[in-house]
Amino acid sequence: MSEKEANFGNDHRRDLEQAANAPQKSKISDSLTKPLARRFYTEVTVAGEPGAWEILLDGRTIKTPKKRTLRLPTRELADAIRDEWDAQEKEINPSRMPLTRFANTAIDAVSEAMDSVAADIVSYAGSDFLCYRAESPEKLRILQAECWNPIVARAEAELDAQFRIVNGIMFVPQPQETLDAVANSLRPHNAYRLTGLHVLTTLTGSALLALALDRQDISPDDAWAAAHVDEDYQIAHWGEDAEGAARRRGREIEFRAACRWLAALAA
């Protein structure tokens, strides 16, 4: 097997990620970026009513960076975010509070750009990496087909649409009716759901995986494995470098948090 063949997975992912990050795509970034502050509260509680839960620090409502009330649609999500704040020790570290960061983003950013964020997810579906398959080696082709075909088939059944499967990395547009079906699946637009879907889509490079997780058609473990078929194939043959492993661990933390976010929204 040649080095070119063995490195197909990395090249494939890199090219698709470059396409996914083309200039026309919007960027949604976390809005909790203040310097670390000391923990100033003792008790963290939840108050409110169904559809409007709030987190209280010593009885005071948490505000977003834009000074909006951090209000959450489900008690399960509010409890999870309460636990993040309660787990802070001497300092409040946003890097250990992914659900809080997602909430800030949903309330301060996504709520003001829901059409744009939804369009971004649809754009990823237009070049979804699950639809681009290796031309060689044969073992990788088989792994991709075994892992990705059921996900694509389930998406087609759920959306009543057909996705074009491509051999190689040459871009091939998906049918407009397929993209319209993806767009319809995101309606009615909801800032909290769109935030979770967008995080998962950009982390994995696949809107189909994000939607499958949202429908609970696939477990987080299986989705994470599906997102790394190419990378894992290369690691099995060429090993893994420490820097790449560290980046992957960081992405997985965000991925797991986004899966928990969507699950808490659906609870």
Side-chain angles (χ1 to χ4, degrees), residues 8-23:
F8 175 88
N10 259 6
D11 294 341
H12 179 56
R13 180 178 293 278
R14 182 198 62 216
D15 291 339
L16 289 181
E17 287 179 348
Q18 287 175 349
N21 290 316

Side-chain angles (χ1 to χ4, degrees), residues 135-151:
E135 295 178 291
S136 63
E138 184 63 20
K139 287 184 178 179
L140 178 56
R141 286 175 51 83
I142 293 172
L143 287 172
Q144 289 175 338
E146 289 177 346
C147 189
W148 296 349
N149 284 358
I151 300 170

Side-chain angles (χ1 to χ4, degrees), residues 114-189:
M114 289 193 287
D115 289 348
S116 175
V117 175
D120 201 31
I121 295 170
V122 174
S123 182
Y124 270 87
S127 60
D128 201 289
F129 87 90
L130 297 188
C131 296
Y132 290 80
R133 308 299 175 82
E135 295 178 291
S136 63
E138 184 63 20
K139 287 184 178 179
L140 178 56
R141 286 175 51 83
I142 293 172
L143 287 172
Q144 289 175 338
E146 289 177 346
C147 189
W148 296 349
N149 284 358
I151 300 170
V152 175
R154 185 62 180 268
E156 290 179 331
E158 294 285 346
L159 298 171
D160 190 22
Q162 295 293 315
F163 286 88
R164 292 170 178 159
I165 305 300
V166 180
N167 290 324
I169 59 174
M170 182 72 69
F171 174 73
V172 174
Q174 295 294 339
Q176 186 58 50
E177 55 268 25
T178 296
L179 300 182
D180 290 343
V182 174
N184 288 335
S185 74
L186 301 176
R187 298 189 181 99
H189 291 168

Side-chain angles (χ1 to χ4, degrees), residues 203-214:
L203 278 173
T204 64
S206 172
L208 297 187
L209 274 177
L211 289 170
L213 284 162
D214 184 48

Side-chain angles (χ1 to χ4, degrees), residues 22-265:
Q24 72 269 18
K25 295 193 174 183
S26 64
K27 303 294 183 186
I28 299 298
S29 59
D30 293 331
S31 55
L32 186 60
T33 56
K34 294 180 179 179
L36 295 185
R38 293 187 65 82
R39 175 167 174 160
F40 55 89
Y41 53 89
T42 300
E43 185 180 35
V44 188
T45 56
V46 173
E49 57 187 10
W53 299 100
E54 299 175 6
I55 314 298
L56 307 181
L57 305 179
D58 293 338
R60 296 182 179 181
T61 303
I62 293 178
K63 301 291 185 179
T64 70
K66 287 188 176 181
K67 307 305 180 184
R68 298 167 178 170
T69 298
L70 198 152
R71 187 170 289 120
L72 303 156
T74 70
R75 179 60 190 256
E76 288 75 8
L77 186 55
D79 286 343
I81 291 178
R82 175 202 59 203
D83 291 345
E84 284 190 339
W85 284 85
D86 203 29
Q88 302 305 298
E89 298 178 348
K90 292 182 178 181
E91 295 179 324
I92 301 171
N93 188 344
S95 69
R96 297 179 182 176
M97 306 171 74
L99 299 178
T100 301
R101 290 185 284 110
F102 297 162
N104 286 332
T105 300
I107 295 167
D108 282 352
V110 177
S111 65
E112 298 179 349
M114 289 193 287
D115 289 348
S116 175
V117 175
D120 201 31
I121 295 170
V122 174
S123 182
Y124 270 87
S127 60
D128 201 289
F129 87 90
L130 297 188
C131 296
Y132 290 80
R133 308 299 175 82
E135 295 178 291
S136 63
E138 184 63 20
K139 287 184 178 179
L140 178 56
R141 286 175 51 83
I142 293 172
L143 287 172
Q144 289 175 338
E146 289 177 346
C147 189
W148 296 349
N149 284 358
I151 300 170
V152 175
R154 185 62 180 268
E156 290 179 331
E158 294 285 346
L159 298 171
D160 190 22
Q162 295 293 315
F163 286 88
R164 292 170 178 159
I165 305 300
V166 180
N167 290 324
I169 59 174
M170 182 72 69
F171 174 73
V172 174
Q174 295 294 339
Q176 186 58 50
E177 55 268 25
T178 296
L179 300 182
D180 290 343
V182 174
N184 288 335
S185 74
L186 301 176
R187 298 189 181 99
H189 291 168
N190 175 289
Y192 298 95
R193 178 176 179 242
L194 286 174
T195 296
L197 287 172
H198 193 274
V199 170
L200 288 169
T201 297
T202 54
L203 278 173
T204 64
S206 172
L208 297 187
L209 274 177
L211 289 170
L213 284 162
D214 184 48
R215 294 190 304 266
Q216 299 183 1
D217 288 343
I218 189 172
S219 70
D221 286 345
D222 288 344
W224 185 250
H228 294 85
V229 169
D230 293 358
E231 184 177 317
D232 287 341
Y233 179 86
Q234 186 205 7
I235 290 171
H237 287 79
W238 296 90
E240 182 177 37
D241 65 275
E243 185 177 344
R247 286 196 303 269
R248 178 162 168 169
R249 286 194 297 271
R251 292 198 313 272
E252 186 171 4
I253 290 171
E254 292 289 293
F255 171 85
R256 300 284 177 179
C259 289
R260 186 181 182 189
W261 171 274
L262 285 182
L265 286 177

